[in-house]
């Protein structure tokens, strides 16, 4: 494994960071955006699903009258590859407090035909207009401080293939959910980590879409080794995250019939539950 | 409140019941379906969102090459009314094990223009082809037997307006989540009930789409009284339900910023977790 990049002397800022550059979409026509999918967010042989979600979320944030994703549902159709892609958006409804849009990401096959990779339905609003009321019963995940957690740079390579994304994340896994890396999966469908961007950029609603799908699959702790492709992922962004590291907790309750769900919660440094997500993924049962 | 309908001497069967007749869609053209939305599934002044989901789910089950909804995400745009509606579907991708489709439900405004009510993205498969592996860590909800639970027919009317849907459901609420009906909400975001169709029809994947959105809002137990309109609801159907009553458990962890999530689990009589759902809904904070 490569050494972890040293922490930058000056942290990158929101709007001027690797993540911002790699999710940058260029408007070609009203509602149509060009993007060059970066190879920097790949793992094994796949482009990370959360990175793709952030790309689609960014295009919709430009196309719709409201800036922030409140709820975004993505169905993953075919495997994306690094390189050029087109995002086509549609404004479904523009309301006063919320607007709803649709977006699809397309790439080209070897014959030059467009192939749809992902389709998304989303409702957008403005997080800064929400009232301050918080009556949550949820508690932040119990996990050790980051300095007692472990990243890919602390151990042997756990996966074969690309690990590009690990260089761009500051991911520190709770040792209680790291049994799989030592050949001793806990049998519990849990994965927890401290999450940040390696260049020090703070979190915003778009990077929360990355955070909900950035941890190793809970299936690893359930003793499964294969890849776990996402069929559908829905994320709710509930609050603009405070500066500082995030905590991400992912749980699986129901592994059955060759599918499992992964529920993610993202907590910010102010102990606010800033995002929730659930995905349905396929597993290959041995 | 009207008396609960007496249990039918001969239970209705799947395919020949009120629910089946009221979700019946007529193919007008390839992928386009007419439906007459029944007033029988209204509550207060709204058509129940789960009933609408089942209508869209049925149209997609006809249009797509696979029969069963595996994951279905619905964004609710405008309020549906009883009466004629059109469902337009699109096959997004037809794969071997899964196919993905999109559907929209439209009605007409006073000028005769089409207004979109709901848009759905869904991935379908065939539940009967799934392997039998079950490694769930989830446990069925702890709740008293149905004869110790309470339905609308057991108490004073809790809501004003239409209660038509209550006549079509056999809904028996866990007394531990009924404080709101007595003016003493528990403060916990929990709602649990035994669920069946009043005419005795057993559950199938389509009626699970009804079940995930059929209980009173968890917001009532959080001390809120107003309506809680759904912005988006995603349901996963994980298993064909066994005959017999269902148990539905709904929880809310995060009420904040004028929104809350409702997570539903549906368990069948064989103790299988047959469906999961999450919705994002708006609340009116007093």
């Amino acid at each position: 494994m490569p050494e972890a990049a040293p922490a930058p002397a000056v942290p990158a800022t929101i709007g001027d960071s690797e993540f911002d550059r790699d999710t940058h979409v260029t408007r070609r026509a009203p509602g149509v955006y060009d993007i060059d999918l970066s190879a920097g967010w790949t793992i094994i042989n796949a482009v990370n699903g959360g990175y793709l979600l952030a790309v689609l979320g960014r295009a919709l944030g430009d196309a719709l009258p409201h800036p922030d994703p409140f709820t975004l549902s993505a169905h993953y159709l075919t495997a994306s590859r690094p390189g050029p892609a087109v995002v086509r958006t549609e404004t479904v409804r523009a309301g006063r407090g919320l607007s709803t849009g649709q977006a699809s990401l397309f790439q080209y096959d070897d014959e030059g035909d467009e192939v749809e990779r992902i389709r998304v339905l989303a409702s957008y609003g403005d997080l800064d207009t929400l009232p301050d009321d918080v009556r949550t019963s949820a508690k932040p995940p119990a996990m050790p401080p980051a300095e007692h957690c472990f990243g890919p740079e602390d151990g042997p390579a756990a996966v074969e293939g690309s690990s590009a994304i690990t260089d761009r994340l500051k991911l520190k896994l709770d040792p209680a959910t790291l049994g799989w890396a030592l050949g001793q999966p806990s049998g519990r469908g849990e994965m927890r980590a401290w999450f940040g961007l390696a260049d020090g950029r703070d979190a915003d609603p778009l990077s929360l879409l990355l955070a909900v799908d950035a941890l190793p699959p809970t299936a690893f702790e359930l003793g499964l080794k294969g890849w776990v492709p996402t069929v559908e992922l829905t994320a709710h962004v509930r609050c603009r995250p405070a500066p500082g590291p995030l905590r991400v907790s992912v749980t699986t309750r129901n592994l059955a019939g060759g599918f499992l769900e992964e529920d993610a919660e993202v907590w910010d440094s102010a102990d606010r539950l800033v995002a929730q997500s659930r995905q349905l993924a396929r597993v290959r049962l041995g």
Side-chain angles (χ1 to χ4, degrees), chain A:
Chain A
M1 296 289 285
E3 286 290 302
V10 179
T13 54
I14 294 174
D16 183 19
S17 74
E18 245 172 359
F19 176 75
D20 297 295
R21 285 187 288 278
D22 288 350
T23 57
H24 179 76
V25 294
T26 305
R27 177 148 55 167
R28 181 206 290 187
V32 183
Y33 301 86
D34 288 299
I35 165 89
D36 195 36
L37 295 180
S38 163
W41 306 89
T42 50
I43 179 78
I44 310 183
N45 59 4
V47 182
N48 173 265
Y51 164 66
L52 295 167
L53 212 56
V55 167
L56 284 152
R58 188 151 172 191
L60 278 169
D62 186 83
L64 293 174
H66 293 90
D68 301 315
F70 277 26
T71 169
L72 194 155
S73 301
H75 287 248
Y76 292 80
L77 307 169
T78 57
S80 301
R81 298 170 194 163
V86 182
V87 178
R88 298 182 191 279
T89 67
E90 176 196 348
T91 299
V92 177
R93 177 175 177 268
R96 196 161 49 90
L98 289 174
S99 49
T100 300
Q102 178 171 321
S104 293
L105 187 138
F106 296 91
Q107 292 189 304
Y108 299 95
D109 67 14
D110 295 339
E111 280 75 48
D113 295 323
E114 278 197 348
V115 182
E116 190 168 353
R117 299 299 192 203
I118 309 174
R119 189 175 293 202
V120 157
L121 266 185
S123 291
Y124 273 57
D126 185 344
L127 288 171
D128 297 330
T129 66
L130 299 185
D132 284 337
D133 300 66
V134 179
R135 303 197 208 178
T136 185
S137 67
K139 297 267 179 297
M143 50 191 286
E147 57 270 27
H148 294 155
C149 293
F150 297 95
E153 66 281 5
D154 299 315
V159 292
E160 287 182 15
S162 168
S163 61
I165 192 173
T166 60
D167 296 338
R168 308 208 162 193
L169 301 181
K170 218 173 339 187
L171 201 62
K172 289 286 187 181
L173 287 150
D174 182 342
T177 66
L178 259 177
W180 59 276
L182 308 169
Q184 297 175 319
S186 69
R188 294 185 303 272
E190 297 177 4
M191 200 63 69
R192 288 184 294 274
W194 292 90
F195 175 95
L197 291 166
D199 61 11
R201 176 197 189 274
D202 277 318
D204 72 345
L206 283 182
S207 74
L208 293 179
L209 300 179
L210 173 67
V212 297
D213 197 30
L215 272 57
T218 53
F220 288 180
E221 275 296 85
L222 291 167
L224 303 172
K225 289 186 177 162
W227 196 239
V228 188
T230 304
V231 176
E232 173 268 325
L233 186 153
T234 297
H236 299 173
V237 175
R238 302 294 301 274
C239 180
R240 188 174 300 285
L246 301 170
R247 284 154 292 171
V248 183
S249 167
V250 188
T251 53
T252 293
R253 289 165 54 78
N254 193 35
L255 166 57
F259 288 84
L260 55 72
E261 95 286 1
E262 277 199 4
D263 282 1
E265 285 190 354
V266 184
W267 293 79
D268 72 5
S269 61
D271 276 0
R272 280 287 295 268
L273 179 49
V274 291
Q276 291 172 295
S277 76
R278 174 176 289 166
Q279 66 172 271
L280 183 71
R282 284 195 211 227
V283 290
R284 315 262 173 251
L285 296 174

